[in-house]
Amino acid sequence: ATRVLAFYDNEEVGSETAQGGASPFLKDALERIVMSASQPREAYMRAIARSIFVSADMAHAVHPNYSDMHDARHLPLINRGPVIKTNASQKYATEGISSAFFESLCHRAGVCAQKFVMRSDLACGSTIGPVTAANLGIRAVDVGNPMLSMHSAREMAGSRDHWDMIRVFKVLFQPDTELNLRS
């Protein structure tokens, strides 16, 4: 029943620092939360099994000059809602159950979700989603708001997408939102 937000330093230059996404910080903090349980290790393992990690970053919107860099069936557009990101090489941590869970949050929030599947013949960056999923053994989904020209001096994103993502997170953080993904 505990919701946790984690913000990391050094995400753009590498998560493998003492305070980055690959550090033991989140695991240590989560273990400390359950230390008062009669069997803290068991409580921790059960909590992880019933939880989901939502890795929220940004997503590459389809750029009109480079639309050939996207799969024609997965073209994230600005101001059309949050993007669920998938990569066959697991550069994003999304899998079927976590994707469906996030889509259900979007539905409850009255927000349309978009899907982005990275072309397998192109290189792909990554997020802290796969790092966290591997370190904790937790189900994870990678999501983000679409933006143009990510990592350039001319990044552009839509203000409506930010509002939509806030609405989805409000549903996620409601006490009555069921998070039991592995019964």
Side-chain angles (χ1 to χ4, degrees):
T2 301
R3 300 326 199 252
V4 176
L5 285 172
F7 296 91
Y8 291 103
D9 287 337
N10 311 322
E11 191 270 336
E12 291 300 334
V13 296
S15 296
E16 295 180 357
T17 62
Q19 65 273 21
S23 73
F25 173 76
L26 181 58
K27 185 175 185 174
D28 293 348
L30 295 175
E31 286 181 350
R32 287 181 179 135
I33 289 171
V34 297
M35 290 299 273
S36 64
S38 62
Q39 296 179 340
R41 185 69 183 152
E42 180 68 16
Y44 172 78
M45 298 306 284
R46 287 176 185 246
I48 291 295
R50 291 190 312 262
S51 297
I52 187 166
F53 179 78
V54 179
S55 176
D57 199 339
M58 297 300 286
H60 291 281
V62 63
H63 193 290
N65 294 336
Y66 303 102
S67 60
D68 59 324
M69 299 301 286
H70 285 265
D71 183 302
R73 293 174 303 255
H74 301 100
L75 302 171
L77 300 172
I78 291 176
N79 282 329
R80 300 283 179 88
V83 178
I84 302 169
K85 304 184 297 184
T86 305
N87 178 274
S89 298
Q90 293 298 295
K91 297 290 186 174
Y92 302 131
T94 306
E95 41 75 43
I97 293 172
S98 64
S99 178
F101 174 77
F102 193 82
E103 278 189 89
S104 73
L105 293 176
C106 290
H107 179 74
R108 286 182 54 191
V111 169
C112 291
Q114 302 183 75
K115 291 192 175 180
F116 171 72
V117 178
M118 183 65 198
R119 284 180 35 188
S120 61
D121 62 329
L122 296 175
C124 179
S126 191
T127 69
I128 63 168
V131 171
T132 302
N135 284 345
L136 296 179
I138 195 169
R139 188 173 301 279
V141 60
D142 268 294
V143 300
N145 285 335
M147 75 177 334
L148 289 175
S149 305
M150 191 182 304
H151 303 297
S152 79
R154 293 181 178 87
E155 291 179 333
M156 293 181 280
S159 58
R160 180 177 160 201
D161 289 322
H162 295 300
W163 175 239
D164 284 347
M165 190 69 88
I166 289 168
R167 290 170 47 199
V168 174
F169 281 130
K170 283 183 176 183
V171 171
L172 174 64
F173 283 91
Q174 288 176 353
D176 64 332
T177 297
E178 179 62 44
L179 298 178
N180 191 2
L181 300 173
R182 296 180 189 166
S183 303

